[in-house]
């Protein structure tokens, strides 16, 4: 372990100012991260399982990314319109209590 630490020393020295700067943020994040730990631990096997798939997909996603960025305003608008339509439809339905006899 000692040779590893000796090798890491210059890197850690270089990182010191950044880490000092990050300390307040990390201290603030600690309760949240502690709360998230069980969830992240459960998630690990799933992420390990899908890693090869994601690695395979990377070139495709990298290619598609500029197109999706360009499409974002359009897709956002489509989603807003769909949501508005769905909201309007749900408002037009009779109250739930009126539907119970039909079930």
């Amino acid at each position: 372990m000692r040779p590893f630490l000796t090798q890491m020393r210059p890197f850690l020295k270089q990182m010191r100012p950044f880490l000092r700067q990050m300390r307040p943020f990390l201290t603030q994040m600690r309760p949240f991260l502690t709360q998230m730990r069980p969830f992240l631990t459960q998630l690990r096997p799933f992420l390990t399982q899908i890693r090869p798939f994601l690695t395979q997909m990377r070139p495709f996603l990298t290619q598609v990314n500029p197109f999706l960025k360009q499409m974002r305003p359009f897709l956002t608008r489509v989603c807003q319109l769909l949501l508005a339509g769905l909201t309007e439809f749900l408002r037009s339905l009779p109250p739930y209590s009126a539907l119970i006899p039909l079930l």
Side-chain angles (χ1 to χ4, degrees), residues 11-23:
F11 170 72
L12 292 173
K13 257 186 172 168
Q14 216 176 2
M15 287 294 288
R16 190 175 283 153
F18 170 73
L19 293 173
R20 276 206 183 107
Q21 213 176 2
M22 286 295 288
R23 181 177 276 152

Side-chain angles (χ1 to χ4, degrees), residues 56-99:
Q56 259 184 328
M57 287 294 288
R58 179 178 269 148
F60 169 72
L61 293 174
T62 305
Q63 248 181 339
V64 167
N65 196 31
F67 170 71
L68 292 177
K69 274 186 178 168
Q70 219 174 0
M71 290 292 287
R72 179 181 264 158
F74 170 74
L75 294 173
T76 302
R77 187 68 186 132
V78 167
C79 289
Q80 286 171 341
L81 292 172
L82 286 172
L83 188 59
L86 180 62
T87 305
E88 202 53 45
F89 170 72
L90 290 174
R91 282 196 185 126
S92 73
L93 289 175
Y96 182 68
S97 54
L99 293 174

Side-chain angles (χ1 to χ4, degrees), residues 1 10 32 49 53 62 66 68 73 87:
M1 191 67 181
F32 170 73
Q49 231 177 355
F53 169 73
T62 305
L68 292 177
T87 305

Side-chain angles (χ1 to χ4, degrees), residues 16-68:
R16 190 175 283 153
F18 170 73
L19 293 173
R20 276 206 183 107
Q21 213 176 2
M22 286 295 288
R23 181 177 276 152
F25 170 73
L26 294 173
T27 305
Q28 212 176 7
M29 285 295 289
R30 180 177 275 146
F32 170 73
L33 294 173
T34 304
Q35 211 175 7
M36 287 295 288
R37 179 178 268 148
F39 169 71
L40 295 174
T41 305
Q42 276 183 323
L43 205 58
R44 181 178 275 148
F46 169 71
L47 293 175
T48 305
Q49 231 177 355
I50 67 166
R51 177 182 257 147
F53 169 73
L54 293 177
T55 306
Q56 259 184 328
M57 287 294 288
R58 179 178 269 148
F60 169 72
L61 293 174
T62 305
Q63 248 181 339
V64 167
N65 196 31
F67 170 71
L68 292 177

